[in-house]
């Protein structure tokens, strides 16, 4: 056995010398791997996503103002007051310092106040239901600018995009023009999902029978990826779609190409075609429809695409009136909302007799809300887009109860989701 006073062996010295080298090599390898990470969240192509990324950066910096000094002081105190340092002041009876208490409590309190103000203003300025007030930092949205509307439907397991203004639709492909306000109306056909294009804006949930909104803009041309950010079943991992941001001229050319059709055209997207499309499937290729039923999205939202199916808005109107009593017995089959009971519901109402037709007409005459029309909870952009001030910023409100646009809106008490 080697005595404690004997020098270490050359083999041990060689092994110790290799340890720092191995650690350095591993660190460099990890750094190289991180260089391949996608930083689109912090360097997006859309102004809304850029503002959200700035919030992340500013919040991180504010928190580092506390974290970094605390970590540095931890190392300093451990070194300064180590047992071997005889020059350090030793005061075993010390227990309080007013100045130190002020610093310890005041600094975090100021950081929390700053974070709270930043979060409150940013939350309202970037409310997805609020129309955007600017195209970028230097360009405000023109007062007469009309946003491009895209109706989004999350299917199993693919995405359907309907362009009502252009009268076309696509599957797993989203094409938008740059520097034009975008308005997305989002819903789902079965389970809850989440619509997310990191380069454009934050993720927004999609739920059946409900409509969520997203207002955004793309400032750069390019090809990006959109996907589902919420697990929705076996095909979830393949629920991705191509997102193309193009110039106005290229967008018009693309729309004309879809309308023209050709061998790659999927034809017309009507209710019968949609019912086939919504059946679960994975890895669907891009499909383009040259025309689309104008009422299809409303029927999807109202959960009454199938023939003879009572719309959700009609059911709510009946409930609001206290029900139909015995007179509505024949309409029970139309109330079935089970996804797997649709065939039975459709069959029961495929060939209604005269009495059922009269009752159906009477029931629908009671419904004041137009089927497929969801309440528009869009909030106007504030008078000033100056971040951190929110000048002219009002709290989100629901639509007015009266039809008159001048009527004051009531505060929103429930979630708009």
């Amino acid at each position: 056995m080697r005595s404690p006073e004997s020098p270490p062996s050359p083999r041990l010295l060689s092994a110790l010398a290799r340890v720092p080298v191995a650690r350095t090599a591993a660190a460099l390898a990890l750094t190289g791997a991180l260089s391949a990470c996608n930083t689109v969240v912090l360097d997006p192509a859309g102004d809304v996503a850029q503002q959200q990324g700035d919030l992340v950066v500013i919040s991180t910096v504010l928190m580092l103002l506390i974290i970094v000094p605390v970590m540095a002081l931890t190392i300093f105190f451990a070194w300064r007051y180590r047992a071997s340092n005889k020059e350090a002041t030793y005061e075993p009876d010390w227990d309080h310092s007013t100045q130190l208490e002020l610093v310890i409590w005041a600094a975090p309190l100021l950081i929390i106040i700053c974070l709270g103000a930043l979060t409150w203003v940013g939350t309202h300025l970037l409310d997805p239901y609020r129309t955007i007030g600017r195209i970028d930092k230097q360009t405000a949205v023109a007062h007469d600018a009309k946003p491009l509307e895209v109706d989004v439907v999350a299917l199993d397991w693919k995405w359907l995009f309907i362009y009502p203004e252009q009268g076309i639709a696509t599957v797993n492909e989203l094409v938008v023009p740059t520097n034009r306000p975008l308005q997305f109306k989002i819903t789902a056909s079965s389970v809850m999902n989440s619509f997310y294009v990191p380069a454009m804006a934050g993720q927004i949930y999609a739920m059946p029978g409900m409509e969520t909104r997203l207002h955004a803009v793309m400032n750069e041309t390019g090809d990006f990826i959109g996907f589902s950010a919420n697990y929705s079943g076996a095909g979830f991992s393949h629920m991705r779609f191509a997102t193309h941001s193009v110039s106005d001229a290229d967008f018009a050319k693309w729309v004309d190409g879809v309308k023209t059709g050709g061998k790659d055209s999927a034809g017309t997207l009507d209710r019968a075609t949609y019912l086939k499309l919504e059946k679960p499937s994975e890895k669907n290729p891009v499909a383009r429809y040259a025309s689309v039923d104008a009422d299809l999205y409303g029927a999807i939202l109202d959960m009454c695409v199938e023939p003879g199916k009572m719309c959700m808005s009609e059911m709510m109107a009946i409930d609001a009136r206290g029900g139909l009593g015995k007179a509505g017995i024949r309409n029970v089959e139309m109330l079935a909302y089970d996804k797997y009971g649709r065939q039975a519901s459709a069959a029961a109402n495929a060939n209604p007799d005269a009495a059922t037709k009269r009752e159906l007409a009477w029931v629908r005459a009671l419904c004041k809300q137009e089927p497929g029309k969801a309440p528009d909870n869009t909030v106007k952009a504030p008078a000033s887009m100056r971040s951190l001030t929110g000048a002219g910023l009002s709290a989100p409100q629901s639509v007015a109860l009266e039809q008159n646009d001048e009527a004051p809106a009531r505060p929103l008490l429930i979630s708009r989701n």
Side-chain angles (χ1 to χ4, degrees):
M1 179 180 293
R2 184 170 55 88
S3 63
E5 291 78 10
S6 61
S9 65
R11 182 179 298 177
L12 179 60
L13 290 175
S14 177
L16 292 174
R18 286 196 301 269
V19 170
V21 175
R23 290 179 178 175
T24 303
L28 292 176
L30 289 174
T31 303
L34 289 174
S35 64
C37 290
N38 192 341
T39 58
V40 65
V41 173
L42 298 180
D43 187 24
D47 183 66
V48 173
Q50 185 62 64
Q51 294 181 68
Q52 293 172 337
D54 292 342
L55 279 176
V56 174
V57 173
I58 296 173
S59 300
T60 303
V61 171
L62 286 173
M63 289 183 284
L64 287 177
L65 292 178
I66 292 296
I67 295 174
V68 172
V70 168
M71 296 179 67
L73 288 173
T74 300
I75 298 174
F76 170 77
F77 285 128
W79 175 257
R80 172 69 177 173
Y81 297 101
R82 66 192 187 278
S84 60
N85 185 9
K86 304 303 181 183
E87 297 180 358
T89 304
Y90 179 63
E91 297 181 3
D93 297 326
W94 179 90
D95 61 358
H96 178 73
S97 171
T98 302
Q99 293 81 3
L100 188 59
E101 290 282 352
L102 288 175
V103 173
I104 290 175
W105 288 104
L109 180 61
L110 292 175
I111 297 298
I112 291 173
I113 292 173
C114 292
L115 284 173
L118 180 70
T119 302
W120 189 92
V121 175
T123 298
H124 290 295
L125 286 175
L126 299 176
D127 182 354
Y129 283 81
R130 189 183 296 278
T131 57
I132 61 173
R134 72 182 200 185
I135 299 297
D136 53 40
K137 290 182 179 180
Q138 291 77 32
T139 310
V141 175
H143 69 280
D144 58 347
K146 183 180 180 181
L148 173 67
E149 179 183 331
V150 182
D151 300 335
V152 183
V153 183
L155 305 173
D156 292 335
W157 286 276
K158 48 200 169 283
W159 292 93
L160 172 63
F161 301 99
I162 300 175
Y163 295 77
E165 181 182 344
Q166 290 72 25
I168 60 174
T170 62
V171 173
N172 286 342
E173 182 183 48
L174 174 63
V175 181
V176 296
T178 57
N179 299 321
R180 178 179 176 181
L182 305 173
Q183 176 181 255
F184 295 93
K185 297 181 178 180
I186 307 168
T187 189
S189 68
S190 57
V191 300
M192 185 173 76
N193 232 297
S194 181
F195 173 75
Y196 188 28
V197 182
M200 181 175 63
Q203 62 99 6
I204 301 295
Y205 285 112
M207 289 162 282
M210 307 175 76
E211 182 183 88
T212 49
R213 298 289 182 94
L214 173 64
H215 291 85
V217 65
M218 293 292 275
N219 303 109
E220 302 175 9
T221 59
D223 299 328
F224 309 95
I225 294 295
F227 53 88
S228 169
N230 188 81
Y231 181 75
S232 58
F236 158 75
S237 58
H238 303 295
M239 202 170 171
R240 294 173 171 264
F241 58 91
T243 303
H244 307 291
S245 177
V246 298
S247 64
D248 289 337
D250 288 339
F251 179 73
K253 182 179 179 181
W254 175 78
V255 171
D256 290 339
V258 174
K259 287 184 175 181
T260 302
K263 63 178 182 179
D264 296 331
S265 176
T268 299
L269 182 61
D270 53 18
R271 297 195 179 204
T273 305
Y274 170 80
L275 291 176
K276 295 178 182 178
L277 177 66
E278 82 161 351
K279 293 180 179 179
S281 60
E282 300 181 32
K283 301 181 181 180
N284 288 66
V286 172
R288 303 182 181 95
Y289 295 90
S291 61
V292 60
D293 184 345
D295 298 325
L296 178 61
Y297 175 76
I300 296 171
L301 178 61
D302 228 1
M303 303 179 73
C304 55
V305 178
E306 300 85 348
K309 187 75 171 293
M310 177 178 286
C311 294
M312 185 173 60
S313 62
E314 295 173 334
M315 182 188 296
M316 290 189 293
I318 293 171
D319 291 342
R321 295 177 64 91
L324 296 177
K326 294 181 179 180
I329 291 177
R330 290 192 181 93
N331 293 302
V332 172
E333 287 291 344
M334 290 183 290
L335 304 181
Y337 272 73
D338 185 359
K339 296 286 286 188
Y340 299 100
R342 287 181 168 180
Q343 290 78 7
S345 176
N349 296 278
N351 298 300
D353 56 22
T356 303
K357 287 182 179 180
R358 285 195 301 271
E359 282 193 6
L360 183 59
W362 175 60
V363 168
R364 288 184 170 167
L366 296 175
C367 306
K368 296 182 179 180
Q369 181 177 351
E370 183 179 351
K373 296 295 183 180
D376 186 357
N377 289 324
T378 301
V379 183
K380 292 184 179 180
S384 173
M385 292 300 293
R386 288 178 294 167
S387 59
L388 299 181
T389 61
L393 184 64
S394 59
Q397 296 177 327
S398 66
V399 282
L401 294 176
E402 295 79 9
Q403 297 298 324
N404 182 10
D405 293 337
E406 300 298 325
R410 58 188 175 87
L412 185 65
L413 301 179
I414 59 174
S415 169
R416 286 166 298 172
N417 291 339

